[in-house]
Amino acid sequence: MRRLFFFTLKLALLTGLAVWVVARDGPARMVWNGYIIETSASFLGFSAVAIGFVFYLLFRLWNLLRNGPERWRLHRKLKKWRQGQDHLAEGLVAVAGGDAAEAGRQAVYARRLLGPTTTTQLLQAQAAQLAGDHRAAQEIFRALAGEPASAVLGYRGLIMEARRAGNWEEMERLIEKLNRLKPETPWLNLVRFELLARQQNWGEANLALSQVASAQLLEPAKAKAQRAALLVAASQDDARQGRTDKALQAAEQAVKQMPGWLPAVINLAQQQATSGHRRAAQRTIEKNWERAPHPQLAAIWREGAQDPIEVCKQIEKLCRGSEEAPASRLAMAEAALAADIWGEARRHLIALISHGGATQSAYRLLARLERRESADEQAALQWLTRAVDAPADPAWLCCSCGGSHATWQALCAHCGQFNTLEWRSPGVSRVQGTALQELEFSDATSVL
């Protein structure tokens, strides 16, 4: 619209100028080298314009003959570049969507149009990774690593390939090579942190984590969680090697980093109890129980106690204010059962069932209760049968591979990932819903 407006304006000006010249026409005379040319001023003006236009056309023709082939080549190259960029974009979309075949096809088209550029090679490597052809991906990354401009990209790909294959020695070698080539690469400290953590070199891993946090490669909350996990791991190592003072110091620092974090709290209470600070361990458990009741905290609380009746009273005192929590109910039921207080044990266990918080351990405790109280094997067998359909007991599960662990540890024993264990149930009961929970409770009372 804008171009049309300016074209119309120019045409109107030229038309107006022509009309003005014609309206004011007069004679014009030219004398040149003995020749006399007489004509009208308007004809002379229009002739001059026509001659200028002819010269302009001749100049354009000469320019086309001279620069036309080069312009044609540039136009063709630009067209190929645009098509190549389109194929690159479609390939990246295919990579994001997990379509290995489409990604590989677009990578071939892009390389054919653009040549072996960094971006086309990277797309080919990613397509090869998606297709499971890791050897081809490694070859491409090696080629990228051999060029100064793309060395960081190539080494990153090789490091990730070594990480995927679990080749930690190769990963360490590649990290050192890249560190010598580009020591200022920020994400290198993140990879080094993971490698050092897997090697259980907690001190060096902590230094690498500090550099990662300074470069803001991790969110502050995530960096604090990782540092707390490193401190807990170091505390556990010190405890195993008999360095109780260092173990307790690291445990206290971990709780300061992440107050209320369950692994740090359990470790601190354990180190306090082991080092002879039993009252401090009890205060730690009391402080954190209502927020995060846990069987391991209850076990530490009971350590060293001789009188089951006194233990039962202390557990009830500990659980005051959080009686409805499944972990509290279970701890009170275990303590009452150990003290042969049958009614209290049964009350807590039935309350667990009625509120839908009963796991397999609750049914097993009920089976033990039947045997100890009345030696009723039939009732015990009924509870054990019910335990089969009950939700599994919570455990320390790896959120990466799902592996189960009895206690928290810094590295997953199954996949080796760092700080991936969470306290949660590995499955759900096949009996769900409020109505079914009520039916379960009515069935439980019929057994009684």
Side-chain angles (χ1 to χ4, degrees):
M1 183 62 71
R2 185 178 178 183
R3 293 179 64 181
L4 178 63
F5 170 76
F6 281 108
F7 173 77
T8 306
L9 181 63
K10 290 176 185 178
L11 184 62
L13 289 174
L14 289 173
T15 304
L17 180 63
V19 170
W20 183 82
V21 169
V22 170
R24 289 162 178 77
D25 195 13
R29 184 181 185 190
M30 292 181 62
V31 179
W32 179 69
N33 200 23
Y35 292 96
I36 299 173
I37 302 173
E38 293 184 349
T39 184
S40 65
S42 59
F43 179 79
L44 182 63
F46 288 132
S47 297
V49 171
I51 292 170
F53 184 70
V54 169
F55 274 108
Y56 171 74
L57 290 178
L58 291 173
F59 172 76
R60 289 294 301 269
L61 179 62
W62 174 80
N63 188 48
L64 180 64
L65 293 174
R66 181 186 178 191
N67 299 319
E70 182 64 25
R71 288 183 178 178
W72 179 78
R73 283 193 294 270
L74 287 174
H75 175 74
R76 195 172 173 202
K77 285 181 69 174
L78 182 60
K79 183 179 179 181
K80 286 178 64 176
W81 181 84
R82 286 173 176 166
Q83 289 176 341
Q85 293 298 319
D86 290 340
H87 285 300
L88 270 178
E90 291 175 16
L92 291 174
V93 170
V95 168
D99 190 344
E102 180 65 17
R105 187 161 43 252
Q106 296 298 335
V108 171
Y109 292 151
R111 180 160 181 160
R112 189 179 299 162
L113 291 167
L114 300 176
T117 64
T118 300
T119 49
T120 57
Q121 287 180 293
L122 178 60
L123 179 58
Q124 279 191 302
Q126 290 178 327
Q129 285 177 323
L130 271 179
D133 190 355
H134 296 285
R135 180 176 295 180
Q138 288 173 4
E139 289 298 324
I140 296 172
F141 285 131
R142 286 193 190 98
L144 290 171
E147 298 294 330
S150 59
V152 174
L153 187 60
Y155 275 110
R156 183 187 180 99
L158 290 172
I159 288 169
M160 293 300 104
E161 279 294 306
R163 178 181 180 273
R164 178 200 58 79
N167 191 345
W168 308 114
E169 292 181 2
E170 176 68 6
M171 186 176 173
E172 187 173 10
R173 186 185 69 81
L174 291 168
I175 287 173
E176 291 304 319
K177 286 187 70 173
L178 181 56
N179 189 50
R180 288 194 297 270
L181 184 67
K182 294 278 187 180
E184 71 280 3
T185 307
W187 61 264
L188 197 56
N189 286 315
L190 190 60
V191 181
R192 185 184 290 113
F193 161 71
E194 181 185 5
L195 179 63
L196 291 168
R198 284 179 175 273
Q199 294 173 341
Q200 301 185 37
N201 190 343
W202 312 124
E204 292 296 322
N206 199 15
L207 292 176
L209 181 61
S210 298
Q211 293 174 326
V212 168
S214 299
Q216 297 183 345
L217 295 177
L218 282 179
E219 296 180 1
K222 179 66 173 177
K224 288 181 69 175
Q226 297 292 65
R227 180 164 286 112
L230 286 174
L231 289 167
V232 172
S235 173
Q236 291 175 341
D237 272 4
D238 288 332
R240 280 192 289 268
Q241 297 173 25
R243 298 191 293 263
T244 55
D245 290 343
K246 289 187 68 176
L248 182 57
Q249 184 180 3
E252 290 171 346
Q253 290 174 355
V255 172
K256 287 180 182 177
Q257 281 289 323
M258 290 284 289
W261 186 46
L262 194 52
V265 171
I266 293 172
N267 181 64
L268 176 59
Q270 185 64 64
Q271 302 309 328
Q272 288 171 331
T274 303
S275 59
H277 301 87
R278 181 134 208 92
R279 185 58 196 140
Q282 290 177 340
R283 284 197 298 269
T284 298
I285 295 171
E286 288 172 347
K287 181 180 178 181
N288 292 277
W289 181 267
E290 186 171 352
R291 178 171 46 189
H294 193 274
Q296 286 176 256
L297 289 176
I300 297 170
W301 180 275
R302 292 193 300 265
E303 281 180 3
Q306 301 296 327
D307 184 6
I309 300 294
E310 186 61 30
V311 170
C312 185
K313 291 179 180 178
Q314 290 299 321
I315 288 289
E316 287 181 352
K317 178 182 176 183
L318 174 66
C319 296
R320 193 173 299 150
S322 61
E323 295 90 346
E324 299 304 319
S328 295
R329 289 283 188 190
L330 202 59
M332 290 187 290
E334 287 179 331
L337 184 58
D340 292 337
I341 308 176
W342 319 121
E344 278 298 294
R346 190 179 299 275
R347 181 175 69 85
H348 291 305
L349 293 172
I350 295 303
L352 270 177
I353 294 174
S354 64
H355 290 92
T359 58
Q360 293 175 357
S361 59
Y363 290 97
R364 287 194 291 267
L365 283 176
L366 276 165
R368 283 175 53 195
L369 175 60
E370 298 293 352
R371 286 170 177 152
R372 293 184 62 174
E373 183 183 15
S374 58
D376 190 342
E377 284 295 330
Q378 185 178 0
L381 182 59
Q382 290 182 19
W383 289 123
L384 291 175
T385 303
R386 297 279 291 283
V388 175
D389 289 330
D393 293 324
W396 291 106
L397 300 179
C398 176
C399 60
S400 178
C401 70
S404 178
H405 305 71
T407 59
W408 185 91
Q409 52 197 57
L411 298 177
C412 173
H414 304 277
C415 67
Q417 294 286 333
F418 175 73
N419 193 23
T420 56
L421 301 193
E422 297 177 348
W423 180 255
R424 56 187 174 86
S425 176
V428 295
S429 173
R430 283 180 279 171
V431 181
Q432 294 180 338
T434 305
L436 292 178
Q437 289 172 5
E438 292 175 356
L439 177 61
E440 184 179 51
F441 176 60
S442 64
D443 289 344
T445 53
S446 68
V447 174
L448 303 181

PDB file of all heavy atoms in Angstrom, residues 394-414:
ATOM      1  N   PRO A 394       6.679 -47.858  52.120  1.00  0.00           N
ATOM      2  CA  PRO A 394       7.570 -46.855  51.519  1.00  0.00           C
ATOM      3  C   PRO A 394       9.032 -47.289  51.634  1.00  0.00           C
ATOM      4  O   PRO A 394       9.413 -48.020  52.542  1.00  0.00           O
ATOM      5  CB  PRO A 394       7.289 -45.593  52.350  1.00  0.00           C
ATOM      6  CG  PRO A 394       5.948 -45.822  52.962  1.00  0.00           C
ATOM      7  CD  PRO A 394       5.846 -47.296  53.199  1.00  0.00           C
ATOM      8  N   ALA A 395       9.814 -46.838  50.693  1.00  0.00           N
ATOM      9  CA  ALA A 395      11.238 -47.167  50.679  1.00  0.00           C
ATOM     10  C   ALA A 395      11.978 -46.008  50.014  1.00  0.00           C
ATOM     11  O   ALA A 395      11.364 -45.083  49.469  1.00  0.00           O
ATOM     12  CB  ALA A 395      11.479 -48.476  49.932  1.00  0.00           C
ATOM     13  N   TRP A 396      13.298 -46.071  50.075  1.00  0.00           N
ATOM     14  CA  TRP A 396      14.117 -45.079  49.379  1.00  0.00           C
ATOM     15  C   TRP A 396      14.230 -45.527  47.926  1.00  0.00           C
ATOM     16  O   TRP A 396      14.929 -46.475  47.603  1.00  0.00           O
ATOM     17  CB  TRP A 396      15.500 -44.973  50.021  1.00  0.00           C
ATOM     18  CG  TRP A 396      15.462 -44.370  51.395  1.00  0.00           C
ATOM     19  CD1 TRP A 396      15.622 -45.006  52.583  1.00  0.00           C
ATOM     20  CD2 TRP A 396      15.257 -42.991  51.708  1.00  0.00           C
ATOM     21  NE1 TRP A 396      15.517 -44.125  53.630  1.00  0.00           N
ATOM     22  CE2 TRP A 396      15.290 -42.865  53.115  1.00  0.00           C
ATOM     23  CE3 TRP A 396      15.048 -41.843  50.955  1.00  0.00           C
ATOM     24  CZ2 TRP A 396      15.133 -41.658  53.770  1.00  0.00           C
ATOM     25  CZ3 TRP A 396      14.880 -40.625  51.606  1.00  0.00           C
ATOM     26  CH2 TRP A 396      14.925 -40.541  52.994  1.00  0.00           C
ATOM     27  N   LEU A 397      13.507 -44.841  47.055  1.00  0.00           N
ATOM     28  CA  LEU A 397      13.451 -45.213  45.643  1.00  0.00           C
ATOM     29  C   LEU A 397      14.183 -44.184  44.796  1.00  0.00           C
ATOM     30  O   LEU A 397      14.079 -42.976  45.047  1.00  0.00           O
ATOM     31  CB  LEU A 397      12.002 -45.319  45.170  1.00  0.00           C
ATOM     32  CG  LEU A 397      11.121 -46.353  45.883  1.00  0.00           C
ATOM     33  CD1 LEU A 397       9.717 -46.313  45.302  1.00  0.00           C
ATOM     34  CD2 LEU A 397      11.708 -47.741  45.757  1.00  0.00           C
ATOM     35  N   CYS A 398      14.890 -44.658  43.793  1.00  0.00           N
ATOM     36  CA  CYS A 398      15.587 -43.774  42.861  1.00  0.00           C
ATOM     37  C   CYS A 398      14.573 -43.195  41.879  1.00  0.00           C
ATOM     38  O   CYS A 398      13.844 -43.945  41.219  1.00  0.00           O
ATOM     39  CB  CYS A 398      16.686 -44.536  42.128  1.00  0.00           C
ATOM     40  SG  CYS A 398      17.533 -43.552  40.862  1.00  0.00           S
ATOM     41  N   CYS A 399      14.516 -41.876  41.786  1.00  0.00           N
ATOM     42  CA  CYS A 399      13.569 -41.249  40.858  1.00  0.00           C
ATOM     43  C   CYS A 399      14.067 -41.330  39.423  1.00  0.00           C
ATOM     44  O   CYS A 399      13.356 -40.935  38.495  1.00  0.00           O
ATOM     45  CB  CYS A 399      13.320 -39.792  41.249  1.00  0.00           C
ATOM     46  SG  CYS A 399      14.796 -38.763  41.256  1.00  0.00           S
ATOM     47  N   SER A 400      15.280 -41.855  39.216  1.00  0.00           N
ATOM     48  CA  SER A 400      15.803 -42.017  37.866  1.00  0.00           C
ATOM     49  C   SER A 400      15.517 -43.408  37.308  1.00  0.00           C
ATOM     50  O   SER A 400      15.009 -43.557  36.203  1.00  0.00           O
ATOM     51  CB  SER A 400      17.313 -41.756  37.842  1.00  0.00           C
ATOM     52  OG  SER A 400      17.838 -41.952  36.555  1.00  0.00           O
ATOM     53  N   CYS A 401      15.848 -44.453  38.100  1.00  0.00           N
ATOM     54  CA  CYS A 401      15.665 -45.828  37.593  1.00  0.00           C
ATOM     55  C   CYS A 401      14.631 -46.613  38.392  1.00  0.00           C
ATOM     56  O   CYS A 401      14.258 -47.723  37.992  1.00  0.00           O
ATOM     57  CB  CYS A 401      17.004 -46.570  37.613  1.00  0.00           C
ATOM     58  SG  CYS A 401      17.615 -46.967  39.283  1.00  0.00           S
ATOM     59  N   GLY A 402      14.166 -46.086  39.539  1.00  0.00           N
ATOM     60  CA  GLY A 402      13.164 -46.779  40.342  1.00  0.00           C
ATOM     61  C   GLY A 402      13.735 -47.813  41.286  1.00  0.00           C
ATOM     62  O   GLY A 402      12.972 -48.517  41.952  1.00  0.00           O
ATOM     63  N   GLY A 403      15.068 -47.924  41.376  1.00  0.00           N
ATOM     64  CA  GLY A 403      15.682 -48.903  42.261  1.00  0.00           C
ATOM     65  C   GLY A 403      15.373 -48.641  43.722  1.00  0.00           C
ATOM     66  O   GLY A 403      15.297 -47.492  44.163  1.00  0.00           O
ATOM     67  N   SER A 404      15.202 -49.707  44.507  1.00  0.00           N
ATOM     68  CA  SER A 404      14.824 -49.602  45.924  1.00  0.00           C
ATOM     69  C   SER A 404      16.045 -49.782  46.814  1.00  0.00           C
ATOM     70  O   SER A 404      16.941 -50.580  46.515  1.00  0.00           O
ATOM     71  CB  SER A 404      13.767 -50.655  46.258  1.00  0.00           C
ATOM     72  OG  SER A 404      13.421 -50.590  47.622  1.00  0.00           O
ATOM     73  N   HIS A 405      16.056 -49.023  47.930  1.00  0.00           N
ATOM     74  CA  HIS A 405      17.164 -49.085  48.878  1.00  0.00           C
ATOM     75  C   HIS A 405      16.594 -49.073  50.290  1.00  0.00           C
ATOM     76  O   HIS A 405      15.587 -48.410  50.552  1.00  0.00           O
ATOM     77  CB  HIS A 405      18.110 -47.893  48.705  1.00  0.00           C
ATOM     78  CG  HIS A 405      18.642 -47.733  47.309  1.00  0.00           C
ATOM     79  ND1 HIS A 405      17.859 -47.316  46.263  1.00  0.00           N
ATOM     80  CD2 HIS A 405      19.895 -47.948  46.805  1.00  0.00           C
ATOM     81  CE1 HIS A 405      18.605 -47.266  45.159  1.00  0.00           C
ATOM     82  NE2 HIS A 405      19.830 -47.647  45.465  1.00  0.00           N
ATOM     83  N   ALA A 406      17.263 -49.775  51.195  1.00  0.00           N
ATOM     84  CA  ALA A 406      16.788 -49.828  52.586  1.00  0.00           C
ATOM     85  C   ALA A 406      17.041 -48.514  53.302  1.00  0.00           C
ATOM     86  O   ALA A 406      16.244 -48.093  54.147  1.00  0.00           O
ATOM     87  CB  ALA A 406      17.479 -50.981  53.319  1.00  0.00           C
ATOM     88  N   THR A 407      18.157 -47.878  52.996  1.00  0.00           N
ATOM     89  CA  THR A 407      18.496 -46.596  53.618  1.00  0.00           C
ATOM     90  C   THR A 407      18.914 -45.611  52.531  1.00  0.00           C
ATOM     91  O   THR A 407      19.266 -46.013  51.413  1.00  0.00           O
ATOM     92  CB  THR A 407      19.652 -46.755  54.631  1.00  0.00           C
ATOM     93  OG1 THR A 407      20.802 -47.281  53.947  1.00  0.00           O
ATOM     94  CG2 THR A 407      19.267 -47.676  55.766  1.00  0.00           C
ATOM     95  N   TRP A 408      18.906 -44.329  52.893  1.00  0.00           N
ATOM     96  CA  TRP A 408      19.331 -43.319  51.922  1.00  0.00           C
ATOM     97  C   TRP A 408      20.830 -43.405  51.709  1.00  0.00           C
ATOM     98  O   TRP A 408      21.605 -43.597  52.657  1.00  0.00           O
ATOM     99  CB  TRP A 408      18.981 -41.919  52.427  1.00  0.00           C
ATOM    100  CG  TRP A 408      19.280 -40.844  51.411  1.00  0.00           C
ATOM    101  CD1 TRP A 408      18.431 -40.367  50.476  1.00  0.00           C
ATOM    102  CD2 TRP A 408      20.508 -40.127  51.244  1.00  0.00           C
ATOM    103  NE1 TRP A 408      19.043 -39.396  49.716  1.00  0.00           N
ATOM    104  CE2 TRP A 408      20.322 -39.237  50.176  1.00  0.00           C
ATOM    105  CE3 TRP A 408      21.748 -40.163  51.892  1.00  0.00           C
ATOM    106  CZ2 TRP A 408      21.321 -38.377  49.737  1.00  0.00           C
ATOM    107  CZ3 TRP A 408      22.758 -39.316  51.449  1.00  0.00           C
ATOM    108  CH2 TRP A 408      22.542 -38.433  50.393  1.00  0.00           C
ATOM    109  N   GLN A 409      21.244 -43.271  50.456  1.00  0.00           N
ATOM    110  CA  GLN A 409      22.660 -43.171  50.131  1.00  0.00           C
ATOM    111  C   GLN A 409      22.825 -42.204  48.977  1.00  0.00           C
ATOM    112  O   GLN A 409      21.890 -41.990  48.194  1.00  0.00           O
ATOM    113  CB  GLN A 409      23.253 -44.537  49.801  1.00  0.00           C
ATOM    114  CG  GLN A 409      22.497 -45.325  48.752  1.00  0.00           C
ATOM    115  CD  GLN A 409      22.877 -46.794  48.753  1.00  0.00           C
ATOM    116  OE1 GLN A 409      22.758 -47.489  49.765  1.00  0.00           O
ATOM    117  NE2 GLN A 409      23.336 -47.267  47.606  1.00  0.00           N
ATOM    118  N   ALA A 410      23.997 -41.621  48.886  1.00  0.00           N
ATOM    119  CA  ALA A 410      24.202 -40.549  47.914  1.00  0.00           C
ATOM    120  C   ALA A 410      24.104 -41.052  46.480  1.00  0.00           C
ATOM    121  O   ALA A 410      23.582 -40.357  45.606  1.00  0.00           O
ATOM    122  CB  ALA A 410      25.560 -39.890  48.145  1.00  0.00           C
ATOM    123  N   LEU A 411      24.596 -42.247  46.214  1.00  0.00           N
ATOM    124  CA  LEU A 411      24.587 -42.807  44.868  1.00  0.00           C
ATOM    125  C   LEU A 411      23.616 -43.971  44.799  1.00  0.00           C
ATOM    126  O   LEU A 411      23.634 -44.838  45.672  1.00  0.00           O
ATOM    127  CB  LEU A 411      25.983 -43.281  44.459  1.00  0.00           C
ATOM    128  CG  LEU A 411      27.080 -42.214  44.395  1.00  0.00           C
ATOM    129  CD1 LEU A 411      28.414 -42.849  44.049  1.00  0.00           C
ATOM    130  CD2 LEU A 411      26.736 -41.131  43.379  1.00  0.00           C
ATOM    131  N   CYS A 412      22.786 -43.977  43.758  1.00  0.00           N
ATOM    132  CA  CYS A 412      21.886 -45.108  43.565  1.00  0.00           C
ATOM    133  C   CYS A 412      22.706 -46.360  43.278  1.00  0.00           C
ATOM    134  O   CYS A 412      23.598 -46.346  42.417  1.00  0.00           O
ATOM    135  CB  CYS A 412      20.927 -44.816  42.409  1.00  0.00           C
ATOM    136  SG  CYS A 412      19.889 -46.226  41.960  1.00  0.00           S
ATOM    137  N   ALA A 413      22.433 -47.432  43.985  1.00  0.00           N
ATOM    138  CA  ALA A 413      23.182 -48.671  43.805  1.00  0.00           C
ATOM    139  C   ALA A 413      22.883 -49.331  42.470  1.00  0.00           C
ATOM    140  O   ALA A 413      23.631 -50.214  42.031  1.00  0.00           O
ATOM    141  CB  ALA A 413      22.857 -49.637  44.943  1.00  0.00           C
ATOM    142  N   HIS A 414      21.823 -48.893  41.780  1.00  0.00           N
ATOM    143  CA  HIS A 414      21.423 -49.540  40.539  1.00  0.00           C
ATOM    144  C   HIS A 414      21.908 -48.775  39.304  1.00  0.00           C
ATOM    145  O   HIS A 414      22.399 -49.376  38.357  1.00  0.00           O
ATOM    146  CB  HIS A 414      19.900 -49.689  40.490  1.00  0.00           C
ATOM    147  CG  HIS A 414      19.347 -50.434  41.664  1.00  0.00           C
ATOM    148  ND1 HIS A 414      19.321 -51.808  41.726  1.00  0.00           N
ATOM    149  CD2 HIS A 414      18.811 -49.986  42.831  1.00  0.00           C
ATOM    150  CE1 HIS A 414      18.798 -52.192  42.890  1.00  0.00           C
ATOM    151  NE2 HIS A 414      18.464 -51.098  43.568  1.00  0.00           N
TER     152      HIS A 414
END
